[in-house]
Amino acid sequence: MAHWNSYNMFVFFTDLDGTLLDHDTYDWQPARPAIRRIQAAGHALILCTSKSLAEVASLWHSMGLADPVIVENGGAIYLPERYFGGRLPGTVTRGGWEAIELGAPYRDLVGALGEAAAASGARVRGFANMDTEEVARRTGLPLETARQAHQREYDEPFLVEEGDPASLCAAIERLGYSWTRGGRFFHILRGCDKAQAVRRLTALFREQRAVERTVGLGDGLNDAGFLREADSAWLLPSRQLAELARLAPGARVAPAKGPAGWAQAVEMELA
Ligand SMILES: [Mg+2]
């Protein structure tokens, strides 16, 4: 579409919890005007999160977004159908989305987590062991949202209840899997992470549209990789800030936490 080439667009990649959403209340209203500014300027806003598709899709609808999403820590990229004008090769269609699957099947992750826990003498509690009420209690999400959060495909969130997280993570790596850590949970994955998904989607944007700049916003250690991929990166203050700043040197720190800080960072980026 020719009009996409008539200006140079920005592609914003943003984490959700603790970044665009408040860490405790999940509120995003303070960011609403900045989201509208991004849309009015014709830029793209990509949600890049450990959340499941079911959970992201309902936020995406309520935010009034129209751009692709990266779910389950890079386990899959979901594009609205024909987002780039035609069906992309190598995608599967699902309920109005084209999916680029990058992660391993969920049952493999759950199996490997059990094996790594046994090998390292740790006691873990993953989403597979929890019912929806427990997911709601541990995340502070309302029951309906917790039900959506529970529908995992490529990433298993878990807590370490007993034992040494470092030896557990080493055991996960010995089995050929990887792990990361968000604001609340550890996650086990294989063959994917947020950074790889951002790289893949950035390449697609650069092929299809006149991208001037990519911008990353995040608050957790699982954001470090994709923040390094972005041309311009912002860190939202959290308990992990000092460690994240070491992993993503060159990133700027937003002036406030959560959606209010997010909005200010976006305003500065667009200024
Ligand atoms: Mg976060």
mmCIF file of all heavy atoms in Angstrom, residues 127-169:
data_model
loop_
_atom_site.group_PDB
_atom_site.id
_atom_site.type_symbol
_atom_site.label_atom_id
_atom_site.label_comp_id
_atom_site.label_asym_id
_atom_site.label_seq_id
_atom_site.Cartn_x
_atom_site.Cartn_y
_atom_site.Cartn_z
ATOM 1 N N PHE A 127 1.886 -23.133 36.311
ATOM 2 C CA PHE A 127 0.470 -22.922 35.985
ATOM 3 C C PHE A 127 -0.246 -24.255 35.762
ATOM 4 O O PHE A 127 -1.436 -24.375 36.029
ATOM 5 C CB PHE A 127 0.334 -22.029 34.736
ATOM 6 C CG PHE A 127 0.295 -20.547 35.038
ATOM 7 C CD1 PHE A 127 0.863 -20.035 36.200
ATOM 8 C CD2 PHE A 127 -0.313 -19.659 34.154
ATOM 9 C CE1 PHE A 127 0.826 -18.668 36.471
ATOM 10 C CE2 PHE A 127 -0.360 -18.290 34.419
ATOM 11 C CZ PHE A 127 0.211 -17.801 35.579
ATOM 12 N N ALA A 128 0.482 -25.263 35.243
ATOM 13 C CA ALA A 128 -0.141 -26.569 34.999
ATOM 14 C C ALA A 128 -0.618 -27.211 36.293
ATOM 15 O O ALA A 128 -1.543 -28.017 36.281
ATOM 16 C CB ALA A 128 0.849 -27.492 34.281
ATOM 17 N N ASN A 129 0.025 -26.876 37.423
ATOM 18 C CA ASN A 129 -0.371 -27.432 38.724
ATOM 19 C C ASN A 129 -1.437 -26.592 39.413
ATOM 20 O O ASN A 129 -1.899 -26.941 40.499
ATOM 21 C CB ASN A 129 0.820 -27.510 39.692
ATOM 22 C CG ASN A 129 2.004 -28.214 39.086
ATOM 23 O OD1 ASN A 129 3.053 -27.625 38.898
ATOM 24 N ND2 ASN A 129 1.822 -29.471 38.738
ATOM 25 N N MET A 130 -1.749 -25.430 38.866
ATOM 26 C CA MET A 130 -2.664 -24.512 39.547
ATOM 27 C C MET A 130 -4.040 -24.562 38.889
ATOM 28 O O MET A 130 -4.150 -24.744 37.680
ATOM 29 C CB MET A 130 -2.155 -23.063 39.444
ATOM 30 C CG MET A 130 -0.788 -22.824 40.063
ATOM 31 S SD MET A 130 -0.344 -21.065 39.898
ATOM 32 C CE MET A 130 1.430 -21.144 40.270
ATOM 33 N N ASP A 131 -5.071 -24.372 39.699
ATOM 34 C CA ASP A 131 -6.385 -24.154 39.089
ATOM 35 C C ASP A 131 -6.557 -22.644 38.869
ATOM 36 O O ASP A 131 -5.705 -21.848 39.260
ATOM 37 C CB ASP A 131 -7.519 -24.758 39.927
ATOM 38 C CG ASP A 131 -7.570 -24.204 41.339
ATOM 39 O OD1 ASP A 131 -6.966 -23.134 41.586
ATOM 40 O OD2 ASP A 131 -8.210 -24.823 42.200
ATOM 41 N N THR A 132 -7.641 -22.273 38.191
ATOM 42 C CA THR A 132 -7.832 -20.869 37.837
ATOM 43 C C THR A 132 -7.877 -19.964 39.061
ATOM 44 O O THR A 132 -7.343 -18.859 39.044
ATOM 45 C CB THR A 132 -9.121 -20.725 37.001
ATOM 46 O OG1 THR A 132 -8.983 -21.546 35.845
ATOM 47 C CG2 THR A 132 -9.341 -19.293 36.556
ATOM 48 N N GLU A 133 -8.477 -20.471 40.164
ATOM 49 C CA GLU A 133 -8.551 -19.669 41.403
ATOM 50 C C GLU A 133 -7.149 -19.353 41.913
ATOM 51 O O GLU A 133 -6.877 -18.243 42.367
ATOM 52 C CB GLU A 133 -9.333 -20.417 42.494
ATOM 53 C CG GLU A 133 -10.844 -20.431 42.306
ATOM 54 C CD GLU A 133 -11.305 -21.338 41.161
ATOM 55 O OE1 GLU A 133 -10.537 -22.240 40.738
ATOM 56 O OE2 GLU A 133 -12.436 -21.127 40.666
ATOM 57 N N GLU A 134 -6.251 -20.329 41.846
ATOM 58 C CA GLU A 134 -4.887 -20.099 42.340
ATOM 59 C C GLU A 134 -4.133 -19.119 41.432
ATOM 60 O O GLU A 134 -3.406 -18.250 41.912
ATOM 61 C CB GLU A 134 -4.125 -21.423 42.440
ATOM 62 C CG GLU A 134 -2.739 -21.202 43.051
ATOM 63 C CD GLU A 134 -1.992 -22.501 43.325
ATOM 64 O OE1 GLU A 134 -2.591 -23.586 43.226
ATOM 65 O OE2 GLU A 134 -0.783 -22.399 43.622
ATOM 66 N N VAL A 135 -4.331 -19.229 40.114
ATOM 67 C CA VAL A 135 -3.704 -18.269 39.190
ATOM 68 C C VAL A 135 -4.196 -16.862 39.524
ATOM 69 O O VAL A 135 -3.422 -15.904 39.575
ATOM 70 C CB VAL A 135 -3.996 -18.623 37.713
ATOM 71 C CG1 VAL A 135 -3.510 -17.526 36.778
ATOM 72 C CG2 VAL A 135 -3.350 -19.957 37.340
ATOM 73 N N ALA A 136 -5.501 -16.745 39.792
ATOM 74 C CA ALA A 136 -6.080 -15.444 40.139
ATOM 75 C C ALA A 136 -5.449 -14.901 41.421
ATOM 76 O O ALA A 136 -5.068 -13.735 41.500
ATOM 77 C CB ALA A 136 -7.597 -15.565 40.299
ATOM 78 N N ARG A 137 -5.316 -15.778 42.429
ATOM 79 C CA ARG A 137 -4.767 -15.346 43.716
ATOM 80 C C ARG A 137 -3.305 -14.919 43.581
ATOM 81 O O ARG A 137 -2.883 -13.905 44.107
ATOM 82 C CB ARG A 137 -4.899 -16.498 44.719
ATOM 83 C CG ARG A 137 -4.706 -16.081 46.162
ATOM 84 C CD ARG A 137 -5.018 -17.210 47.127
ATOM 85 N NE ARG A 137 -4.019 -18.267 47.056
ATOM 86 C CZ ARG A 137 -4.249 -19.518 46.665
ATOM 87 N NH1 ARG A 137 -5.452 -19.870 46.279
ATOM 88 N NH2 ARG A 137 -3.289 -20.416 46.662
ATOM 89 N N ARG A 138 -2.527 -15.686 42.826
ATOM 90 C CA ARG A 138 -1.088 -15.412 42.745
ATOM 91 C C ARG A 138 -0.751 -14.246 41.822
ATOM 92 O O ARG A 138 0.320 -13.672 41.895
ATOM 93 C CB ARG A 138 -0.341 -16.667 42.288
ATOM 94 C CG ARG A 138 -0.400 -17.795 43.309
ATOM 95 C CD ARG A 138 0.628 -18.841 42.960
ATOM 96 N NE ARG A 138 0.564 -20.010 43.801
ATOM 97 C CZ ARG A 138 1.247 -20.150 44.944
ATOM 98 N NH1 ARG A 138 2.028 -19.167 45.359
ATOM 99 N NH2 ARG A 138 1.160 -21.256 45.642
ATOM 100 N N THR A 139 -1.673 -13.920 40.896
ATOM 101 C CA THR A 139 -1.412 -12.811 39.973
ATOM 102 C C THR A 139 -2.181 -11.557 40.367
ATOM 103 O O THR A 139 -1.860 -10.468 39.895
ATOM 104 C CB THR A 139 -1.863 -13.171 38.539
ATOM 105 O OG1 THR A 139 -3.240 -13.563 38.574
ATOM 106 C CG2 THR A 139 -1.031 -14.300 37.960
ATOM 107 N N GLY A 140 -3.209 -11.726 41.206
ATOM 108 C CA GLY A 140 -4.065 -10.592 41.535
ATOM 109 C C GLY A 140 -5.025 -10.255 40.405
ATOM 110 O O GLY A 140 -5.635 -9.180 40.401
ATOM 111 N N LEU A 141 -5.178 -11.163 39.438
ATOM 112 C CA LEU A 141 -6.082 -10.920 38.308
ATOM 113 C C LEU A 141 -7.502 -11.323 38.680
ATOM 114 O O LEU A 141 -7.700 -12.264 39.449
ATOM 115 C CB LEU A 141 -5.648 -11.751 37.091
ATOM 116 C CG LEU A 141 -4.347 -11.378 36.396
ATOM 117 C CD1 LEU A 141 -3.939 -12.473 35.414
ATOM 118 C CD2 LEU A 141 -4.477 -10.034 35.669
ATOM 119 N N PRO A 142 -8.501 -10.646 38.096
ATOM 120 C CA PRO A 142 -9.873 -11.123 38.262
ATOM 121 C C PRO A 142 -10.015 -12.520 37.648
ATOM 122 O O PRO A 142 -9.236 -12.881 36.755
ATOM 123 C CB PRO A 142 -10.722 -10.101 37.494
ATOM 124 C CG PRO A 142 -9.799 -9.086 36.941
ATOM 125 C CD PRO A 142 -8.396 -9.472 37.232
ATOM 126 N N LEU A 143 -10.993 -13.281 38.113
ATOM 127 C CA LEU A 143 -11.127 -14.685 37.725
ATOM 128 C C LEU A 143 -11.188 -14.893 36.212
ATOM 129 O O LEU A 143 -10.540 -15.797 35.678
ATOM 130 C CB LEU A 143 -12.370 -15.268 38.406
ATOM 131 C CG LEU A 143 -12.322 -16.768 38.677
ATOM 132 C CD1 LEU A 143 -11.122 -17.150 39.513
ATOM 133 C CD2 LEU A 143 -13.611 -17.200 39.364
ATOM 134 N N GLU A 144 -11.957 -14.064 35.511
ATOM 135 C CA GLU A 144 -12.117 -14.243 34.061
ATOM 136 C C GLU A 144 -10.770 -14.033 33.344
ATOM 137 O O GLU A 144 -10.405 -14.775 32.436
ATOM 138 C CB GLU A 144 -13.190 -13.276 33.520
ATOM 139 C CG GLU A 144 -13.331 -13.204 32.008
ATOM 140 C CD GLU A 144 -13.538 -14.576 31.335
ATOM 141 O OE1 GLU A 144 -13.947 -15.545 31.993
ATOM 142 O OE2 GLU A 144 -13.258 -14.657 30.119
ATOM 143 N N THR A 145 -10.013 -13.009 33.778
ATOM 144 C CA THR A 145 -8.705 -12.757 33.177
ATOM 145 C C THR A 145 -7.732 -13.874 33.535
ATOM 146 O O THR A 145 -6.916 -14.291 32.705
ATOM 147 C CB THR A 145 -8.162 -11.395 33.649
ATOM 148 O OG1 THR A 145 -9.206 -10.426 33.537
ATOM 149 C CG2 THR A 145 -6.990 -10.947 32.811
ATOM 150 N N ALA A 146 -7.825 -14.380 34.763
ATOM 151 C CA ALA A 146 -6.967 -15.494 35.181
ATOM 152 C C ALA A 146 -7.248 -16.731 34.331
ATOM 153 O O ALA A 146 -6.336 -17.484 33.989
ATOM 154 C CB ALA A 146 -7.176 -15.797 36.658
ATOM 155 N N ARG A 147 -8.509 -16.932 33.983
ATOM 156 C CA ARG A 147 -8.870 -18.061 33.115
ATOM 157 C C ARG A 147 -8.164 -17.929 31.759
ATOM 158 O O ARG A 147 -7.663 -18.896 31.202
ATOM 159 C CB ARG A 147 -10.393 -18.101 32.923
ATOM 160 C CG ARG A 147 -10.934 -19.401 32.326
ATOM 161 C CD ARG A 147 -12.433 -19.311 32.038
ATOM 162 N NE ARG A 147 -12.766 -18.231 31.104
ATOM 163 C CZ ARG A 147 -12.511 -18.243 29.797
ATOM 164 N NH1 ARG A 147 -11.944 -19.303 29.249
ATOM 165 N NH2 ARG A 147 -12.826 -17.215 29.038
ATOM 166 N N GLN A 148 -8.107 -16.696 31.234
ATOM 167 C CA GLN A 148 -7.413 -16.451 29.961
ATOM 168 C C GLN A 148 -5.902 -16.632 30.127
ATOM 169 O O GLN A 148 -5.233 -17.186 29.263
ATOM 170 C CB GLN A 148 -7.710 -15.033 29.456
ATOM 171 C CG GLN A 148 -9.180 -14.813 29.133
ATOM 172 C CD GLN A 148 -9.516 -13.343 28.913
ATOM 173 O OE1 GLN A 148 -8.808 -12.450 29.370
ATOM 174 N NE2 GLN A 148 -10.612 -13.096 28.219
ATOM 175 N N ALA A 149 -5.377 -16.164 31.266
ATOM 176 C CA ALA A 149 -3.934 -16.267 31.531
ATOM 177 C C ALA A 149 -3.500 -17.724 31.616
ATOM 178 O O ALA A 149 -2.363 -18.074 31.326
ATOM 179 C CB ALA A 149 -3.597 -15.546 32.834
ATOM 180 N N HIS A 150 -4.446 -18.575 32.031
ATOM 181 C CA HIS A 150 -4.180 -19.996 32.245
ATOM 182 C C HIS A 150 -4.024 -20.767 30.936
ATOM 183 O O HIS A 150 -3.484 -21.861 30.914
ATOM 184 C CB HIS A 150 -5.347 -20.563 33.066
ATOM 185 C CG HIS A 150 -4.955 -21.676 33.974
ATOM 186 N ND1 HIS A 150 -5.824 -22.275 34.824
ATOM 187 C CD2 HIS A 150 -3.776 -22.315 34.179
ATOM 188 C CE1 HIS A 150 -5.208 -23.222 35.498
ATOM 189 N NE2 HIS A 150 -3.957 -23.264 35.127
ATOM 190 N N GLN A 151 -4.511 -20.203 29.826
ATOM 191 C CA GLN A 151 -4.505 -20.909 28.531
ATOM 192 C C GLN A 151 -3.158 -20.763 27.848
ATOM 193 O O GLN A 151 -2.979 -19.925 26.976
ATOM 194 C CB GLN A 151 -5.613 -20.356 27.622
ATOM 195 C CG GLN A 151 -7.012 -20.600 28.186
ATOM 196 C CD GLN A 151 -8.069 -19.793 27.442
ATOM 197 O OE1 GLN A 151 -7.922 -19.500 26.256
ATOM 198 N NE2 GLN A 151 -9.146 -19.433 28.117
ATOM 199 N N ARG A 152 -2.178 -21.572 28.263
ATOM 200 C CA ARG A 152 -0.808 -21.440 27.758
ATOM 201 C C ARG A 152 -0.581 -22.325 26.544
ATOM 202 O O ARG A 152 -1.163 -23.407 26.431
ATOM 203 C CB ARG A 152 0.206 -21.842 28.837
ATOM 204 C CG ARG A 152 -0.068 -21.312 30.226
ATOM 205 C CD ARG A 152 -0.007 -19.818 30.316
ATOM 206 N NE ARG A 152 1.255 -19.265 29.885
ATOM 207 C CZ ARG A 152 1.495 -17.951 29.875
ATOM 208 N NH1 ARG A 152 0.576 -17.103 30.275
ATOM 209 N NH2 ARG A 152 2.661 -17.501 29.458
ATOM 210 N N GLU A 153 0.298 -21.870 25.632
ATOM 211 C CA GLU A 153 0.645 -22.677 24.461
ATOM 212 C C GLU A 153 2.147 -22.887 24.301
ATOM 213 O O GLU A 153 2.584 -23.913 23.788
ATOM 214 C CB GLU A 153 0.126 -22.000 23.181
ATOM 215 C CG GLU A 153 -1.381 -21.970 23.070
ATOM 216 C CD GLU A 153 -1.829 -21.248 21.812
ATOM 217 O OE1 GLU A 153 -1.643 -20.011 21.747
ATOM 218 O OE2 GLU A 153 -2.309 -21.910 20.893
ATOM 219 N N TYR A 154 2.972 -21.893 24.701
ATOM 220 C CA TYR A 154 4.406 -21.953 24.385
ATOM 221 C C TYR A 154 5.313 -21.560 25.543
ATOM 222 O O TYR A 154 6.520 -21.389 25.366
ATOM 223 C CB TYR A 154 4.740 -21.003 23.221
ATOM 224 C CG TYR A 154 3.820 -21.127 22.043
ATOM 225 C CD1 TYR A 154 2.776 -20.219 21.850
ATOM 226 C CD2 TYR A 154 3.983 -22.156 21.111
ATOM 227 C CE1 TYR A 154 1.917 -20.327 20.773
ATOM 228 C CE2 TYR A 154 3.133 -22.273 20.038
ATOM 229 C CZ TYR A 154 2.099 -21.358 19.861
ATOM 230 O OH TYR A 154 1.253 -21.463 18.799
ATOM 231 N N ASP A 155 4.757 -21.350 26.733
ATOM 232 C CA ASP A 155 5.530 -20.814 27.846
ATOM 233 C C ASP A 155 4.838 -21.236 29.135
ATOM 234 O O ASP A 155 3.633 -21.085 29.247
ATOM 235 C CB ASP A 155 5.558 -19.279 27.716
ATOM 236 C CG ASP A 155 6.042 -18.548 28.967
ATOM 237 O OD1 ASP A 155 5.403 -18.642 30.027
ATOM 238 O OD2 ASP A 155 7.065 -17.857 28.860
ATOM 239 N N GLU A 156 5.622 -21.803 30.079
ATOM 240 C CA GLU A 156 5.031 -22.197 31.363
ATOM 241 C C GLU A 156 5.577 -21.306 32.480
ATOM 242 O O GLU A 156 6.776 -21.347 32.779
ATOM 243 C CB GLU A 156 5.342 -23.674 31.653
ATOM 244 C CG GLU A 156 4.986 -24.138 33.062
ATOM 245 C CD GLU A 156 3.481 -24.256 33.346
ATOM 246 O OE1 GLU A 156 2.690 -23.569 32.674
ATOM 247 O OE2 GLU A 156 3.110 -25.016 34.251
ATOM 248 N N PRO A 157 4.728 -20.473 33.091
ATOM 249 C CA PRO A 157 5.172 -19.677 34.237
ATOM 250 C C PRO A 157 5.221 -20.557 35.495
ATOM 251 O O PRO A 157 4.379 -21.432 35.663
ATOM 252 C CB PRO A 157 4.074 -18.614 34.388
ATOM 253 C CG PRO A 157 3.182 -18.749 33.187
ATOM 254 C CD PRO A 157 3.343 -20.152 32.712
ATOM 255 N N PHE A 158 6.209 -20.324 36.353
ATOM 256 C CA PHE A 158 6.272 -21.127 37.578
ATOM 257 C C PHE A 158 6.936 -20.363 38.716
ATOM 258 O O PHE A 158 7.651 -19.391 38.504
ATOM 259 C CB PHE A 158 7.018 -22.451 37.331
ATOM 260 C CG PHE A 158 8.477 -22.298 36.957
ATOM 261 C CD1 PHE A 158 9.477 -22.358 37.928
ATOM 262 C CD2 PHE A 158 8.856 -22.103 35.640
ATOM 263 C CE1 PHE A 158 10.825 -22.227 37.588
ATOM 264 C CE2 PHE A 158 10.198 -21.968 35.283
ATOM 265 C CZ PHE A 158 11.184 -22.029 36.256
ATOM 266 N N LEU A 159 6.664 -20.854 39.933
ATOM 267 C CA LEU A 159 7.290 -20.321 41.145
ATOM 268 C C LEU A 159 8.233 -21.389 41.680
ATOM 269 O O LEU A 159 7.972 -22.579 41.525
ATOM 270 C CB LEU A 159 6.230 -20.033 42.204
ATOM 271 C CG LEU A 159 5.164 -19.003 41.807
ATOM 272 C CD1 LEU A 159 3.976 -19.067 42.768
ATOM 273 C CD2 LEU A 159 5.761 -17.598 41.800
ATOM 274 N N VAL A 160 9.336 -20.966 42.305
ATOM 275 C CA VAL A 160 10.237 -21.905 42.978
ATOM 276 C C VAL A 160 9.869 -21.854 44.456
ATOM 277 O O VAL A 160 10.105 -20.857 45.126
ATOM 278 C CB VAL A 160 11.710 -21.514 42.761
ATOM 279 C CG1 VAL A 160 12.629 -22.552 43.408
ATOM 280 C CG2 VAL A 160 12.020 -21.376 41.274
ATOM 281 N N GLU A 161 9.265 -22.931 44.947
ATOM 282 C CA GLU A 161 8.771 -22.940 46.324
ATOM 283 C C GLU A 161 9.832 -23.393 47.309
ATOM 284 O O GLU A 161 9.776 -23.068 48.483
ATOM 285 C CB GLU A 161 7.544 -23.846 46.428
ATOM 286 C CG GLU A 161 6.378 -23.307 45.612
ATOM 287 C CD GLU A 161 5.075 -24.004 45.928
ATOM 288 O OE1 GLU A 161 5.062 -25.250 45.991
ATOM 289 O OE2 GLU A 161 4.074 -23.298 46.095
ATOM 290 N N GLU A 162 10.788 -24.180 46.825
ATOM 291 C CA GLU A 162 11.820 -24.708 47.707
ATOM 292 C C GLU A 162 13.030 -25.034 46.851
ATOM 293 O O GLU A 162 12.869 -25.454 45.713
ATOM 294 C CB GLU A 162 11.304 -26.007 48.335
ATOM 295 C CG GLU A 162 11.617 -26.175 49.818
ATOM 296 C CD GLU A 162 11.003 -27.463 50.299
ATOM 297 O OE1 GLU A 162 9.816 -27.435 50.689
ATOM 298 O OE2 GLU A 162 11.686 -28.505 50.254
ATOM 299 N N GLY A 163 14.239 -24.822 47.405
ATOM 300 C CA GLY A 163 15.443 -25.163 46.664
ATOM 301 C C GLY A 163 16.068 -23.940 46.030
ATOM 302 O O GLY A 163 15.566 -22.824 46.167
ATOM 303 N N ASP A 164 17.154 -24.178 45.299
ATOM 304 C CA ASP A 164 17.969 -23.100 44.758
ATOM 305 C C ASP A 164 17.564 -22.793 43.315
ATOM 306 O O ASP A 164 17.769 -23.638 42.430
ATOM 307 C CB ASP A 164 19.441 -23.529 44.833
ATOM 308 C CG ASP A 164 20.359 -22.530 44.154
ATOM 309 O OD1 ASP A 164 19.998 -21.327 44.099
ATOM 310 O OD2 ASP A 164 21.425 -22.953 43.654
ATOM 311 N N PRO A 165 16.999 -21.597 43.061
ATOM 312 C CA PRO A 165 16.576 -21.274 41.692
ATOM 313 C C PRO A 165 17.719 -21.386 40.684
ATOM 314 O O PRO A 165 17.505 -21.811 39.546
ATOM 315 C CB PRO A 165 16.093 -19.823 41.806
ATOM 316 C CG PRO A 165 15.743 -19.633 43.239
ATOM 317 C CD PRO A 165 16.671 -20.526 44.020
ATOM 318 N N ALA A 166 18.954 -21.055 41.106
ATOM 319 C CA ALA A 166 20.082 -21.092 40.160
ATOM 320 C C ALA A 166 20.366 -22.522 39.699
ATOM 321 O O ALA A 166 20.596 -22.758 38.501
ATOM 322 C CB ALA A 166 21.327 -20.477 40.794
ATOM 323 N N SER A 167 20.320 -23.514 40.632
ATOM 324 C CA SER A 167 20.589 -24.885 40.165
ATOM 325 C C SER A 167 19.420 -25.419 39.361
ATOM 326 O O SER A 167 19.612 -26.197 38.423
ATOM 327 C CB SER A 167 20.948 -25.867 41.289
ATOM 328 O OG SER A 167 20.689 -25.345 42.540
ATOM 329 N N LEU A 168 18.205 -24.984 39.678
ATOM 330 C CA LEU A 168 17.052 -25.377 38.861
ATOM 331 C C LEU A 168 17.209 -24.853 37.433
ATOM 332 O O LEU A 168 17.020 -25.586 36.458
ATOM 333 C CB LEU A 168 15.754 -24.843 39.475
ATOM 334 C CG LEU A 168 14.510 -25.005 38.615
ATOM 335 C CD1 LEU A 168 14.115 -26.475 38.464
ATOM 336 C CD2 LEU A 168 13.340 -24.205 39.163
ATOM 337 N N CYS A 169 17.584 -23.575 37.312
ATOM 338 C CA CYS A 169 17.737 -22.975 35.986
ATOM 339 C C CYS A 169 18.860 -23.657 35.204
ATOM 340 O O CYS A 169 18.743 -23.871 33.990
ATOM 341 C CB CYS A 169 17.980 -21.469 36.111
ATOM 342 S SG CYS A 169 16.506 -20.593 36.711
#
